[in-house]
Amino acid sequence: MSKKQVYASLEIADQEVRLVVLEVFDGRYNVLRTEKAACSGIENQKIVDEASVVMSIREVMTNAQAALGYRIERVLLAIPSLKVQRNNQRVHIQIEDGTRTIRLFHVQQGYNKAIQRKASDEVEFVNMNRIIYEVNGMETKKLPLQESCDDFYMNVDLLYADKETIYSYAKCVEQANLEILDLCLDSYAIAQQTACLEMSYDRMMIQLDLEANHCTLSVFSKGRLMNTTSLNTGYNWFTSELKEKYNLSDDICYRLLQNLFHSDESKASDIIVYIGQNDENRVEITEKELMESCMPKIRSWIAQINETCAPIVKQSKSRYILTGQGSNINAFKELTGSFNAEAIVYQETCMGARDGSYVCGLGMVYAWKEINKIRSIDKISPNNNELEASIDAISQQSHKGDGGFTKKLKNVILTERK
């Protein structure tokens, strides 16, 4: 098997399907490909048109495979944070082989025992939240491999989500002829990428995943996802008046939001920021009209967030972190002071995926690598033989020097000297 590990993560969002293909090599994460495909089969985070979702999944897969040169056979799948429940299991593991040494299979034994717990008939286990190990009276988050003891405990915090939603999402993926490598709650995956989990050890973290038609609000404390709720107001609401007035598409409305470079309506000019043509007449929208229509709604949305989170903010030191596709709206950078606690807008810096919409896909790979330290599954997303063949072809081309920039530059220099 190649030393390179390639994983594909799939997110079925409000109006589109997103794919991130990531390579893990020597501890480094490199984005190989990102893809999006429009999808009309989702409503309120529920699948209402199965065929549309399957078609969009196949589209992103076909595009990615054509670019990468190998098939993607399995994916990490994001699950919406609906009806999320937590359950903590304290598992006692005895070392009965006489070695008095903790080995990986001991930890696997405890993990497998913990995840068998059912929370209720409405939810299904999705992913691990946090594991604390107790060895010789000491607590640690790290795998206690090779530690000497007679027994140890695992405090395993588990996350569950709406069973119907999980099965419907999984069915679409399987109908697209893909295997599911693992599941992960979207809010948990995002927190892995934004470091929200780590920051929650010294304060309450309130994560706002702003998408087209909803916002998932997640609360983290002491390295755990504590609670989630979904607000049925996304960034499409900000442009709802303009959309109705000029009969604009959702894509155009989103691009208009990206033209909100500041938040002060008094500084808005009469410069035209959009010119279009619909079935009836010509459409022209000025910066002033755009801001006067959208900014009051954005401030109203922030006020709704403040009201919802007021009990949390009053209880302890808190911080908001805004992410998701809505975090690409530039005006939010000037509005962080409008929240009732410290707030930041997360800016993705990963090369090849510098877009708030890919944060969940990136985080799923981090979450998978973390839990796979226990599960120790050697499967990857691509067809392994085709990945090996692709790597060999690239290596051969590199050795020949055909088309390499360094080779070309060297030839140019030598030619000039002659």
Side-chain angles (χ1 to χ4, degrees):
M1 178 179 176
S2 172
K3 293 180 180 178
K4 293 187 179 182
Q5 298 175 336
V6 178
Y7 299 102
S9 55
L10 187 71
E11 181 186 10
I12 303 172
D14 280 345
Q15 296 178 327
E16 62 188 13
V17 170
R18 302 163 184 165
L19 177 73
V20 177
V21 183
L22 201 65
E23 173 196 61
V24 183
F25 185 62
D26 285 345
R28 297 191 302 270
Y29 290 70
N30 305 311
V31 175
L32 300 179
R33 192 73 183 176
T34 59
E35 291 288 346
K36 290 183 180 181
C39 180
S40 59
I42 303 294
E43 188 175 309
N44 296 325
Q45 298 177 274
K46 298 281 189 177
I47 293 177
V48 295
D49 186 347
E50 199 173 87
S52 174
V53 174
V54 172
M55 185 168 62
S56 296
I57 294 173
R58 286 175 175 166
E59 181 180 341
V60 295
M61 288 297 164
T62 300
N63 294 341
Q65 290 170 160
L68 295 170
Y70 46 77
R71 284 177 296 162
I72 296 172
E73 296 182 335
R74 54 191 69 87
V75 295
L76 301 167
L77 177 62
I79 299 298
S81 298
L82 299 175
K83 297 182 181 179
V84 174
Q85 294 183 23
R86 288 176 50 241
N87 187 279
N88 187 271
Q89 293 291 302
R90 180 178 169 84
V91 183
H92 182 215
I93 301 97
Q94 290 184 314
I95 301 176
E96 299 174 342
D97 55 10
T99 61
R100 298 191 73 252
T101 302
I102 300 177
R103 299 182 182 179
L104 182 58
F105 74 86
H106 292 125
V107 178
Q108 291 173 337
Q109 176 186 338
Y111 175 78
N112 291 333
K113 184 177 180 180
I115 64 175
Q116 290 175 8
R117 167 80 178 186
K118 283 187 66 70
S120 73
D121 292 334
E122 294 183 351
V123 296
E124 199 70 64
F125 170 69
V126 181
N127 63 274
M128 178 271 297
N129 195 10
R130 188 188 71 174
I131 300 179
I132 296 292
Y133 304 92
E134 293 181 27
V135 183
N136 297 324
M138 301 292 291
E139 292 188 350
T140 179
K141 294 188 299 179
K142 296 182 180 179
L143 274 172
L145 300 181
Q146 303 305 314
E147 291 285 342
S148 296
C149 61
D150 294 316
D151 61 355
F152 66 100
Y153 291 89
M154 291 173 60
N155 291 310
V156 186
D157 209 68
L158 306 171
L159 293 174
Y160 302 77
D162 181 51
K163 179 190 290 187
E164 182 183 343
T165 302
I166 293 173
Y167 288 168
S168 63
Y169 274 53
K171 184 179 179 182
C172 287
V173 173
E174 290 169 351
Q175 285 188 352
N177 298 319
L178 293 167
E179 297 177 29
I180 297 174
L181 184 59
D182 199 18
L183 305 176
C184 189
L185 277 182
D186 54 5
S187 55
Y188 183 86
I190 291 169
Q192 282 280 358
Q193 182 66 11
T194 62
C196 199
L197 285 165
E198 289 301 317
M199 289 189 285
S200 70
Y201 278 97
D202 63 351
R203 70 185 72 197
M204 297 286 281
M205 292 297 300
I206 305 170
Q207 182 175 270
L208 307 173
D209 176 23
L210 180 58
E211 291 293 338
N213 298 320
H214 80 280
C215 175
T216 300
L217 190 156
S218 308
V219 180
F220 297 85
S221 178
K222 305 300 180 184
R224 291 180 297 173
L225 172 60
M226 304 301 291
N227 198 6
T228 70
T229 188
S230 187
L231 306 179
N232 294 323
T233 305
Y235 60 75
N236 277 350
W237 179 63
F238 303 158
T239 55
S240 55
E241 292 181 0
L242 291 175
K243 179 180 180 179
E244 184 176 354
K245 180 178 179 180
Y246 296 112
N247 192 27
L248 303 175
S249 68
D250 288 333
D251 284 343
I252 291 174
C253 287
Y254 177 65
R255 292 203 297 272
L256 286 172
L257 285 172
Q258 290 181 299
N259 282 322
L260 290 172
F261 295 109
H262 61 89
S263 59
D264 189 349
E265 291 97 325
S266 65
K267 295 181 180 179
S269 67
D270 291 324
I271 295 175
I272 297 174
V273 295
Y274 173 76
I275 299 176
Q277 184 76 37
N278 58 26
D279 295 336
E280 299 177 359
N281 48 43
R282 179 185 175 91
V283 176
E284 293 184 356
I285 300 175
T286 64
E287 182 187 36
K288 185 176 182 179
E289 182 181 10
L290 176 63
M291 294 197 68
E292 289 180 348
S293 175
C294 298
M295 289 311 303
K297 289 183 177 292
I298 293 177
R299 290 193 172 90
S300 175
W301 179 82
I302 295 175
Q304 183 185 8
I305 296 295
N306 288 342
E307 182 180 354
T308 303
C309 299
I312 300 171
V313 173
K314 290 178 181 178
Q315 178 184 345
S316 62
K317 185 178 180 182
S318 305
R319 174 188 288 171
Y320 292 99
I321 182 166
L322 177 64
T323 183
Q325 185 150 323
S327 66
N328 297 331
I329 300 172
N330 294 297
F332 276 118
K333 296 175 185 177
E334 293 188 5
L335 293 171
T336 54
S338 300
F339 290 89
N340 57 358
E342 180 186 356
I344 58 175
V345 178
Y346 180 75
Q347 297 293 304
E348 183 53 61
T349 59
C350 187
M351 287 287 290
R354 291 178 176 173
D355 187 317
S357 61
Y358 293 125
V359 174
C360 179
L362 295 169
M364 272 193 279
V365 178
Y366 282 92
W368 166 248
K369 292 296 291 181
E370 188 66 25
I371 193 59
N372 204 38
K373 292 176 183 178
I374 296 175
R375 297 177 63 182
S376 193
I377 297 174
D378 62 0
K379 289 183 178 180
I380 55 175
S381 290
N383 176 284
N384 196 58
N385 293 333
E386 292 180 8
L387 176 61
E388 290 282 2
S390 176
I391 293 172
D392 290 343
I394 293 172
S395 297
Q396 290 176 8
Q397 185 175 5
S398 177
H399 289 145
K400 290 178 182 178
D402 297 338
F405 176 75
T406 305
K407 179 76 172 179
K408 289 180 180 179
L409 183 60
K410 184 179 178 181
N411 290 336
V412 169
I413 294 172
L414 292 176
T415 302
E416 288 180 353
R417 285 181 179 177
K418 291 178 182 179

